[in-house]
Amino acid sequence: MAIFGENGKQALDGLSLISPDLAKYMVEFGFGDIYQRSQLDVQRRELVTISALTALGNCQPQLYGHIQGALNIGCKPAEIVEVIMQVALYAGFPAAINAMLTAKDVFIERGILETE
């Protein structure tokens, strides 16, 4: 899993402890079928995923992982911020604020954003 690296493996292993079938289906369908389609590159797929998770408004752990993944494959922090800003228009400010705070945490952890 080039997108998620070791963090993705750990999350998948944790899910496999309680539901190996769910972990298997998620990987097979999500990453085996959907992510392999040729119409969008992987960076665009991650930005779309970030927008969907932002719109849902209650998926911070998954959003955190996909923001990490997007950065891992070359998406720029400014692109991620802009996607979240765009979603605010359609999903509302609470969902966008939650997503932006999740992005902030990722950016701080990675040294992209300074806290002082």
Side-chain angles (χ1 to χ4, degrees), residues 1 3-4 26-36 66:
M1 289 193 147
I3 297 171
F4 303 109
M26 182 181 66
V27 170
E28 287 178 356
F29 179 66
F31 296 97
D33 294 337
I34 301 299
Y35 268 69
Q36 298 306 311
H66 281 280

Side-chain angles (χ1 to χ4, degrees), residues 23-91:
K24 175 184 175 222
Y25 300 148
M26 182 181 66
V27 170
E28 287 178 356
F29 179 66
F31 296 97
D33 294 337
I34 301 299
Y35 268 69
Q36 298 306 311
R37 295 171 55 85
S38 63
Q39 290 79 3
L40 294 176
D41 62 31
V42 71
Q43 288 87 1
R44 283 189 178 96
R45 289 190 186 282
E46 278 302 297
L47 292 174
V48 169
T49 301
I50 290 168
S51 70
L53 292 170
T54 296
L56 287 170
N58 60 354
C59 302
Q60 275 57 52
Q62 293 81 13
L63 181 60
Y64 183 92
H66 281 280
I67 292 171
Q68 289 276 14
L71 293 169
N72 289 345
I73 59 170
C75 292
K76 306 275 188 278
E79 292 175 310
I80 294 166
V81 167
E82 197 60 30
V83 163
I84 295 169
M85 291 289 296
Q86 180 70 26
V87 173
L89 180 61
Y90 297 97

